[in-house]
Structures are given as structure tokens and as C-alpha cells.
Amino acid sequence: MPHPVAIHFREIDAAALAAAPGRLVVIAAPGERPSQALRQIDRRARGAILRALASEAFAKLKQGEAMDLAFPSGLAAEAVQLVHLTRRASVTEARKAGASIAKGLGFAGALVLAGPHRLAHEISFGLALRAYDFGAHKTGAPKVFGEVGFQVSAPEAVALRARPMAALAEGVFFARDLVNEPANVLTTDDFAARLAAMHELGLDVEILEEAALKTLGMGALLGVGQGSDSPSKVVVMQWNGGPKGEPPLALVGKGVVFDTGGISIKPAQGMEEMTMDMGGAGVVAGVMRSLALRGAKANVVGLVGLVENMPDGRAQRPGDVVRSMKGDTIEVINTDAEGRLVLADVLWYAQERFKPSAMIDLATLTGAIIVGLGHENAGAFSNNDALVDALLKAASAEGEGAWRMPMGDAYDAKLKSRIADMRNSVGRPGGAITAAQFLARFVKPETPWVHLDIAGVALPPDETALAPKGATGWGVMTLDRLVRDGWERG
């Protein structure tokens, strides 16, 4: 997997700025008094930098945006990048500034004059997140990002604040890599192996194979994968960084490595993107990686159901009835409503085995949530106001869009089946809500729970502020923040 770009923090040194190859970056704001270091390199550049900072073009830039001066005379740099960022900028604007730097980053790297900016660590984090390239399957030379140096007023203090962000960036990258991989590479076996390798980080990883799932009675999950040559699995990742015996936070992810829709087959157009239908499991894996890398002082368990939904002679049919681990029976109306069947069994297993203090599931579950919220927000459904409010606060703090959606008895009533305890699909109206109501039937009343439908945000059609086009890793930062704010001790 690609690792985040190497970033170092150093004392301010005007001579090093003048001699830096690659890109020289200046964090500044219109009308701001230039520092001594900036005045020194401006003299070498014959006044070009301060003239540009005083220009109308620079003043028109929004916070976090940038402009370039190519091959400035008097300096070794191939370009000077001027980034508009006031000292009162928000965290989101600071990360956007870092992303602007990353967009121009190449093999020669960059040296950033951030000076005393209070959000220098956030600028570096935005840079790390945007300097990502998934080129594993291209035959050309891989894109390489050179090292980045930040010249700041208090390098040790900034480095200390940035250290946990490096672990978080690696978790985001891990989630992105998983979602970007094609299904002929990321089979259920390969996915499970990548998760098992994280035992080296201190995670306790356990893989439940089909025989164990049958013994547990996971008929809903197993029915989804019975038409595939890839065996269905559940992977359990435990991080025990909190007090011994304290109930964990449970994170549950949908891991459909490819979704044809099964016998209720999807249209051909766009089906290639169904490699991302394991996005929820990817996020859970990314969070668990980040927690382990930064040594989080919390107990968290991540569980992912890994299956492939294929239409062969053994595949599940519309009209079939399956029995869940809970014991409830489900009439399969639509085999393309498969993610909720996977989650139903894993949610119940998580509660039965771990008795979690709270439970959050993530899934690229419905196209209906994209109709409702587009690609800007995930849909949040919950049985607990305090938990969902904390999650939405964490998402807002991290700049990841999320919006609470309604639930209620009227939606739940639509799940009634003629021949079983419930049916898995009730049609298009309120589709994201009825899917959440289905999941709610597998959540015990005493368990605080949030369901996150991330279908619109896991793989949006265009690049985002902090990610190139492709997988975003949406949710890793939100859930890491939620753990820090609500579950960590000490």
C-alpha cells in the first residue's frame, strides 16, 4: 500500500528556503506583515514574491487556494507556491491549504514556510491526505511524492501535534486502497489476509470461515455468498487499549467484494464500480489500523462480513427464505438487497459475543441515499440521540458530511412478509430508511446504535477536497475522532 508522504518539521532557515529545489511554498494572507525569512527570500527573488502577495489575483483567492510563480529568479526552486491562509483560518481551510500544496507536489518534494501559523499541523495533514495515488495496476513508473519540510516557529510542538495524524492518514490510505482494488484482486480470501496481517500492529485478528458461520446459524449472510466461488467469511479485529473488561465500541462493516445484484442482476452500465461495495468494511479496517498505530487508549472491536454476490446455479433466488443468526426468518424479495442480510448476522453476532457499549455499522447500502443526499453526506440512522449527536459532531469536526435521517413504525411496518417474519426489500419509496429499519430489527433495545449509509461518499464521481478521484476513505477520520472524544481513557 502507498504510505503517506514523509513530512518533517524544522526551524525557520532563510538560506535553506533559498536553496530548496522542488517547490517552495509560502503560507500567507493579504495585508499580512511579511516575516523576516519571507523578506529575505523575496530580496533574492527581486521582489516578485511580495508583489504577488500584494496583487489582486492573490487577494481573490479563497482560503486554502494557491497560485504559482514558475522558475523564480534568484531561487533554486522550480516554483514558488503562494497559499492564501489567514491566521484565523478554520481546520477545514487549513487542510484545504495542505491539499493545494499536495496537488503540485512531485518527486522533488517541497519546503513550506508556515512560520508561527497555529494550524501548521492541520496543513500538513491535509497535504498528507491529498498526496495519494493508487497506481498498483498501471505499468508505467509509479507516481512518487518527494519529502516535504515544514519550517515552523516551534517544530517540536508542531511535530507532537502532527504525530497521531500520521497514523490517521495511514488508516485512511488503507481504506482507500481496499475500496480502489478490483474484485479479481480483492477476493474474500485476499481481504481477510490483509486484515490478518494487522496482527503485527497489535490487533487480535480472528477469521471465521464458512463452517463456523454455519455453526453460528448465519443463514442470512451465507445465503448472499452461496453463488460465488469466493468463500464467505467474518473477520473480527480487536484493539484492547482501554481498561480490561470494559465493554468495547463495536464497528461493523459490510464487505461485499463485488455485487452483481445476484439473480436480481444490476444493469451493465456502472456495474464496474461495484468493487466498492465493501466500502463499509474498508472503513472499519482503516479505523482499526489507525487506532493500533497511534495506540488508542480504548477498547474497540471491528467486525466485517466478507462475501461476493454472484449469479450462478447455486445462487440465492428471489422468493427464498433464510434464517438469520437471531432466529428470525427473512423472505428474499430482491437479491440485490444483500448488504442488509450480511449486516443482520454480523450485528447480532457482535452483540451476542461482545456486549458492546455502543455499535456503529457502515455500508454502501442503498442508491436511495444518493438520491436523497447526493455525494456530499452520508445518511445516519439511529436509536440513540446521544450517540448519533456525538457522531455528527465528530463528522463536522473532521469535515466529513453526515446527515441524520428519520426512522419510525410506519417504515418498519412495510417489512411485513406473507410467508416469513420479514422481507428484505419493500421497493423504492424511502428505500434507505426501510433498509435501516430492517437492520434495526437486529439491534437489541439496550444497544445504542448508528447505521451509516455511505453509498454516496465512499466513491464519489469526482475528486474531493482531500482526495483525488476514487475512494475517499470517508468515515475513518470521523470514527477515530468519536473514539478519541468518547471512548479513550487518559
Side-chain angles (χ1 to χ4, degrees), residues 137-153:
H137 304 291
K138 295 180 180 179
T139 56
K143 187 173 184 178
V144 178
F145 299 103
E147 290 191 2
V148 177
F150 270 71
Q151 290 198 6
V152 294
S153 299

Side-chain angles (χ1 to χ4, degrees), residues 134-192:
F134 186 76
H137 304 291
K138 295 180 180 179
T139 56
K143 187 173 184 178
V144 178
F145 299 103
E147 290 191 2
V148 177
F150 270 71
Q151 290 198 6
V152 294
S153 299
E156 290 184 4
V158 176
L160 187 64
R161 299 185 74 180
R163 189 171 298 132
M165 293 180 169
L168 185 52
E170 185 151 331
V172 173
F173 278 27
F174 190 56
R176 288 178 183 174
D177 283 356
L178 290 168
V179 175
N180 281 326
E181 282 285 15
N184 63 323
V185 173
L186 192 74
T187 62
T188 57
D189 285 330
D190 183 79
F191 200 154

Side-chain angles (χ1 to χ4, degrees), residues 242-262:
K244 186 175 181 179
E246 185 172 278
L249 169 66
L251 306 177
V252 177
K254 170 190 171 184
V256 180
V257 295
F258 194 77
D259 181 22
T260 64

Side-chain angles (χ1 to χ4, degrees), residues 197-247:
M198 290 201 291
H199 80 276
E200 298 175 356
L201 305 179
L203 287 166
D204 182 1
V205 184
E206 179 183 359
I207 301 173
L208 304 180
E209 301 288 359
E210 286 190 349
L213 303 182
K214 289 176 183 176
T215 299
L216 288 166
M218 291 194 184
L221 182 150
L222 289 168
V224 175
Q226 70 189 36
S228 172
D229 287 337
S230 289
S232 299
K233 304 172 188 285
V234 170
V235 181
V236 181
M237 298 162 281
Q238 295 184 66
W239 175 253
N240 297 311
K244 186 175 181 179
E246 185 172 278

Side-chain angles (χ1 to χ4, degrees), residues 223 226 263-264 313-321 332-335:
Q226 70 189 36
I263 299 300
S264 306
R314 297 168 296 150
Q316 184 167 260
R317 295 156 293 235
D320 284 1
V321 174
V332 179
I333 300 297
N334 188 329
T335 63

Side-chain angles (χ1 to χ4, degrees), residues 25-29 53 58 61-67 81-86 93-94 96-98 100-101 112 123:
V25 181
V26 176
I27 307 296
L53 290 175
F58 185 75
L61 294 176
K62 295 179 181 178
Q63 291 264 37
E65 292 183 342
M67 60 184 285
Q81 185 179 36
L82 307 177
V83 182
H84 180 175
L85 194 71
T86 66
E93 290 166 339
K96 180 181 176 183
S100 293
I101 299 169
V112 182
I123 299 170

